[in-house]
Amino acid sequence: RYKSSQTIAAASSLLELGGVKISKEDVVKDEPTNNVPDLIFTKLGLQLHRRDHHPLGILKNAIYEYFDTNYNNQFHKFDDLCPIVTTKENFDDVLVPSDHVSRSYNDTYYIDTETVLRCHTSAHQADLLRKGYANFLVTGDVYRRDSIDSTHYPVFHQMEGVRVFSPNDWNDSGMDATLYAAHDLKACLEGLARHLFGAVEMRWVDSYFPFTNPSFELEIYFQEKWLEVLGCGVMEQEILKRGGKSDNVAWAFGLGLERLAMVLFDIPDIRLFWSTDKRFTSQFTKGQLGIKFKPFSKYPPCYKDMSFWINDSFTENNLCEIVRGVAGDLAEEVQLIDNFTNKKGMTSHCYRITYRSMERSLTDEEINELQWNVRDQVQSQMNIVLR
Ligand code: FA5
Ligand code: MG
């Protein structure tokens, strides 16, 4: 018995990612330049977006269908590129400046100083352009240190789209190349939204990305709030130039697949995508977009507040990382509920942690245990004095 469970553990710590064999020791290392926790490692290689019966797979296939029909199968599709990429691919190749926050250990999972878990599918743009692809979609799992709530998870899925135009395309339009691409981009994504949702309340918001100009985000009204579902824009000319396409213009987008699927299937919490509970998985069918998720009874939440004086190195992402490390998917939300600075200039934060299982009732005992663990680790790892 003991032996067989050991074998299983060994097998699952050796993964094949996009044709590359990777062991746990390659990803999770006890080194200061590595910040990948065990919990993140367990998500590598699951590839929810490649499962035809999973809401993310159903959504991916529906988006494929939209592009295949409207663009005559011109879009090349990639959904198995390795999520372990170089900092060059993830950042430099898409012109992310050397001092940009997204490069920090606070935001990105580093395997070593030159290797990261991709934080967006844009990491593959430049390489595919260099290889000569002009219209393509890249779907994959992406990784970010981030906040904890119903629409944020440290592993999620994106689909990148890139379309390159030639002078012939915009010359007859009377528009300049950039305007032409921006118009085409918005028309494409509005068409996609209609294909997926029919009528839905949405709005465009001007945005900023280092790799596009102009840049936009699309928001959809969901659960009484505006939810950001994608970022996009006209590709910076420098990226095209480096890809040997100086005379072209292009657009690019990055869709948040969980966010779109939450709207599409009425899924109220992003943790559900990882659920293996039959009450979740059995509700979805390959090829069916019209399904609305029926929540199984919601178990009661439990709130725990925690107050402390912050220090210079405090970040909310670090706190969230500790909470996830202790409570995993039992952590529903980590929310700053009070924030003040006293006369001496010391700043106090009060965080409310919501614990709730999607699958069962939690006992007071186990929640107290989790909370004591969180308090312990916050003090020892973040050098913080609790109040
Ligand atoms: C990007 O990642 C850009 N690479 C998108 C892009 C591509 C812009 C090409 C221009 C051209 P952003 O960080 O906003 O942008 O993320 C894109 C989408 O991912 C968001 O709109 C959101 O839908 C989703 N997303 C971001 N963080 C999370 C998270 N923690 N959990 C779930 N979904 C997330
Ligand atoms: Mg954004």
Side-chain angles (χ1 to χ4, degrees), residues 119-122 125 144 146-147 151-158 160-161 209 211-212 215-218 228-233 252-259 270:
C119 73
H120 55 182
T121 44
S122 303
Q125 268 188 23
R144 288 186 197 178
D146 215 329
S147 36
T151 60
H152 290 82
Y153 202 77
V155 188
F156 60 101
H157 297 75
Q158 287 188 340
E160 194 83 2
F209 298 102
F211 28 92
T212 50
S215 305
F216 316 99
E217 285 178 335
L218 186 68
E228 183 199 316
V229 297
L230 67 89
C232 67
F253 63 71
L255 313 178
L257 289 186
E258 277 81 354
R259 302 277 181 91
I270 198 164

Side-chain angles (χ1 to χ4, degrees), residues 186-205 217-222 225-227 229-230 260 263:
K186 284 187 171 176
C188 168
L189 291 170
E190 285 168 13
L192 174 62
R194 272 193 305 277
H195 173 73
L196 295 176
F197 303 112
V200 73
E201 210 181 336
M202 57 186 188
R203 66 180 188 193
W204 286 104
V205 181
E217 285 178 335
L218 186 68
E219 298 184 341
I220 295 184
Y221 202 67
F222 178 64
K225 277 191 198 131
W226 287 102
L227 177 67
V229 297
L230 67 89
L260 289 170
V263 177

Side-chain angles (χ1 to χ4, degrees), residues 366-384:
E366 91 189 287
I367 290 164
N368 287 336
E369 166 110 20
L370 292 173
Q371 182 66 8
W372 279 115
N373 250 317
V374 168
R375 291 173 67 92
D376 239 34
Q377 293 202 22
V378 164
Q379 307 209 69
S380 61
Q381 292 181 30
M382 300 179 86
N383 263 317
I384 265 171

Side-chain angles (χ1 to χ4, degrees), residues 146-184:
D146 215 329
S147 36
I148 298 183
D149 65 32
S150 64
T151 60
H152 290 82
Y153 202 77
V155 188
F156 60 101
H157 297 75
Q158 287 188 340
M159 187 189 292
E160 194 83 2
V162 169
R163 183 173 195 208
V164 179
F165 298 98
S166 321
N168 283 338
D169 295 319
W170 68 81
N171 274 342
D172 298 336
S173 73
M175 285 183 250
D176 77 63
T178 304
L179 198 62
Y180 177 83
H183 271 267
D184 189 85

Side-chain angles (χ1 to χ4, degrees), residues 15-63:
L15 297 169
E16 182 153 344
L17 301 175
V20 187
K21 281 224 164 49
I22 286 155
S23 73
K24 186 168 176 184
E25 292 70 49
D26 298 332
V27 179
V28 183
K29 300 176 196 165
D30 187 19
E31 288 167 16
T33 52
N34 182 300
N35 61 354
V36 182
D38 282 4
L39 199 76
I40 292 297
F41 180 79
T42 64
K43 309 287 193 208
L44 272 169
L46 293 185
Q47 297 196 311
L48 303 180
H49 60 285
R50 298 181 77 201
R51 303 181 189 182
D52 289 339
H53 296 271
H54 188 278
L56 296 178
I58 300 170
L59 173 61
K60 183 196 77 176
N61 290 334
I63 302 173

Side-chain angles (χ1 to χ4, degrees), residues 305-369:
D305 293 354
M306 192 166 70
S307 298
F308 47 84
W309 299 109
I310 62 164
N311 55 30
D312 289 343
S313 62
F314 173 83
T315 70
E316 189 171 299
N317 281 355
N318 285 342
L319 172 66
C320 288
E321 202 70 358
I322 288 176
V323 175
R324 282 220 207 266
V326 170
D329 283 355
L330 300 180
E332 177 165 285
E333 188 164 6
V334 174
Q335 193 188 7
L336 181 65
I337 57 169
D338 189 41
N339 177 7
F340 72 88
T341 304
N342 72 5
K343 287 191 205 121
K344 293 185 202 155
M346 292 161 74
T347 299
S348 164
H349 280 178
C350 180
Y351 275 93
R352 171 160 297 169
I353 305 176
T354 308
Y355 297 100
R356 190 205 315 248
S357 165
M358 318 283 292
E359 285 149 19
R360 62 192 176 86
S361 277
L362 300 175
T363 64
D364 286 347
E365 216 178 7
E366 91 189 287
I367 290 164
N368 287 336
E369 166 110 20

